[in-house]
Every structure is written in C-alpha cells, then in structure tokens.
Amino acid sequence: MSGQAAAARAAEALAVERVSVSFGELKAVREVSLRLPQGARHALIGPNGAGKSTLVGAITGAVSASGGRVLLNGEDLTRLGISARARRGLARTFQITSLFPEMTAIDSVALAIAEREGLTWRFLAPLGSRAAVMDEAREILEELGLADLLGRVVGELAYGHQRVMEIAIALASRPRVLLLDEPAAGIPAGESQRLFEVLERLSRDVTVLFIEHDMHLVRRFARRVTVLAAGQVLAEGTPAEVAADAGVRDAYLGTRGVRH
Ligand SMILES: Nc1ncnc2c1ncn2[C@@H]1O[C@H](COP(=O)(O)OP(=O)(O)OP(=O)(O)O)[C@@H](O)[C@H]1O
C-alpha cells in the first residue's frame, strides 16, 4: 500500500471490507463493505431480516464472520475477540436494555468508567480515584441532558431516559466508534427526536453507525446511509439519494415501508 493510501485508510474511523456471515445454509451478510470517516453519522437501514444486527455483531466481534475484514483507524481487528475490539475503541448498545435497574444513574456510568480504567469498584474510595471517576460520570450525564437524574435509580427512569443511559455507559468506555442498534426503538416520537439531538451534539471524535427504521430520523440525523437487503448492500448515499432509489423502494414494498 502506498503511504498516501495508508494515510487515507487511517483517517477512516471504521472500514468494513467485504464482510460475510453465514448461519448454516443462510448467508445473512454477503460481502458487505462500509467506510465511515472520522466523525461520521452513518445510518444502516433495510427491511426486517436484512442482516443489519448481524453485520453490527460482526463488527464488534459478537458474531464470527466467514470472510472479510474490519478495520478501526486502519488497524485490522478481524482476528480479535469482543473485549479486545472494545479496548481498541468499539462500543455498542443493544435493542434490549442491558442496565442494572437498582443502581443510580451516576453509579452506573461511574462503574463503566472504573471498568475502563481497570479499577475495582470496591477499592475506588481508598485509592482516591473515586472523585475523579464521579466527576467524569457527572460530565457524561450532563452532556447527554441527564443532569437532573444523577441520583435516580435507573429502573425507575422513563424508558427514553434508560435508552440514553445505555449511550452514557457506552460513552464511558471512550469509544472511537459507537454502534447503536435502533437507539430510539420503543420511545415515543417526541422523545426519540431528543435522543438523536443528544447524539448530534456528541463530539466528532466519536464516529456513529446506527441502525434505524424511521426514515424521518435518518433524513434528519444521518449524513450517509447504507441500505441492506437480503444481506447485501442495495444502495449507499445521502438520505435523499437512497429514499429516491427505485431498488430501495422495491425492497421495502410489502414490508413495513420506508416511513417519511
Ligand atoms: N444467531 C442466529 N442464528 C441463525 N440465524 C440467525 C441468527 N441471527 C440472525 N439470524 C438470521 O439472519 C438474518 C438476518 O438477521 P438480522 O437480525 O441481522 O436482521 P436485521 O436486519 O437486523 O432485522 P431486524 O430489522 O428485524 O432487526 C435473518 O434471516 C435472521 O433470522
């Protein structure tokens, strides 16, 4: 590779190169490629069963790919497991909430920071690191608009706030790339808009790839979109380009449709 090509590749936060995933006979993902420059807000859309969650799993290492490569800032992660990829800067949230319901909002984020730093929660106070960890947890929650809820128990928060908490916990690992699987699923329309505004405000040091079905949110918050259908890339472009694409419209016919 030339020096120039290597530099261009390193500038890309995330590159997925011809990744495939099979479950037995089923080819769930077929030679999919994606390129996300630093700071991208990139949406992954497609009908049910298109392979979106499987592709995100292949990026994080939760699902093993049968072919292709995943690169983070030019570094090939393909042979690494989930934790090693997470340590390199990949974080994801799930469709189904994965919070500890009895913990307060601030303790939940502080615990994630402590994990990142390799600190054992029990020993934080004697080591004198607790104040720094709590300050950082407070900053993350404030940035996400949860300043009023720091001391509230997570299980009692509104569902929309719980979804934002998942993002707070993912951010506590200081990810370079944040992967969000339907972050607004189950949230009333007004609140989902707010959640995406929170994502919009995040530092451009964080590159975001999100799965989303609602085209209104995609149009508003994604700069580029990749459309998957039957495991393959059907289209890639700006939200307006993919919404106007005849193949994309066909793929959605008879399913839940491209919502506007
Ligand atoms: N662990 C698994 N074992 C076998 N088949 C699977 C597994 N996970 C997913 N699949 C299949 O792979 C295909 C792609 O599924 P995937 O969940 O990635 O689609 P999706 O685009 O995320 O769909 P949705 O929008 O409904 O979440 C589907 O046919 C699904 O049934």
Side-chain angles (χ1 to χ4, degrees):
M1 200 191 320
S2 75
Q4 232 175 1
R9 194 166 252 185
E12 267 162 13
L14 177 70
V16 173
E17 295 181 347
R18 301 170 66 104
V19 163
S20 298
V21 178
S22 294
F23 297 114
E25 295 290 291
L26 175 73
K27 291 193 163 92
V29 173
R30 305 170 192 220
E31 303 206 348
V32 168
S33 297
L34 296 176
R35 297 199 173 282
L36 272 66
Q38 177 73 49
R41 300 291 182 260
H42 194 111
L44 189 58
I45 70 167
N48 294 118
K52 305 179 294 295
S53 296
T54 304
L55 176 63
V56 167
I59 295 170
T60 61
V63 172
S64 38
S66 51
R69 303 200 307 162
V70 175
L71 297 104
L72 193 70
N73 290 101
E75 185 194 357
D76 189 346
L77 305 185
T78 317
R79 294 186 190 287
L80 302 180
I82 300 183
S83 337
R85 291 187 197 197
R87 280 196 298 278
R88 298 292 195 290
L90 271 180
R92 77 166 294 183
T93 62
F94 294 88
Q95 269 174 320
I96 297 168
T97 180
S98 54
L99 303 164
F100 292 119
E102 296 88 19
M103 274 186 123
T104 62
I106 191 160
D107 280 353
S108 305
V109 178
L111 179 62
I113 295 169
E115 269 174 20
R116 180 195 77 209
E117 296 295 322
L119 297 166
T120 309
W121 185 240
R122 205 150 54 89
F123 292 122
L124 274 179
L127 281 175
S129 325
R130 191 176 164 87
V133 169
M134 291 315 246
D135 282 349
E136 187 181 339
R138 189 173 300 112
E139 268 170 40
I140 291 174
L141 288 166
E142 283 171 0
E143 190 185 0
L144 297 183
L146 297 182
D148 295 341
L149 305 174
L150 301 181
R152 293 275 302 279
V153 169
V154 167
E156 290 170 4
L157 296 179
Y159 185 70
H161 286 139
Q162 292 192 9
R163 301 301 315 252
V164 179
M165 276 300 302
E166 288 176 24
I167 295 172
I169 288 168
L171 288 176
S173 69
R174 291 210 183 130
R176 290 197 269 179
V177 174
L178 182 58
L179 306 164
L180 304 167
D181 196 341
E182 295 196 51
I187 299 181
E191 274 187 55
S192 58
Q193 178 89 7
R194 261 205 303 283
L195 184 143
F196 272 91
E197 279 162 7
V198 161
L199 292 174
E200 181 80 348
R201 282 201 306 274
L202 286 181
S203 150
R204 295 288 145 167
D205 292 344
V206 185
T207 300
V208 182
L209 174 66
F210 62 94
I211 297 177
E212 181 53 63
H213 283 289
D214 185 334
M215 265 317 272
H216 173 71
L217 292 171
V218 169
R219 274 177 186 274
R220 173 113 198 254
F221 294 103
R223 300 293 161 271
R224 293 196 77 76
V225 183
T226 296
V227 188
L228 283 190
Q232 285 179 302
V233 175
L234 184 63
E236 209 267 350
T238 64
E241 283 164 359
V242 301
D245 186 293
V248 173
R249 288 176 175 273
D250 283 350
Y252 274 93
L253 278 179
T255 67
R256 61 170 105 181
V258 179
R259 282 186 242 142
H260 293 278

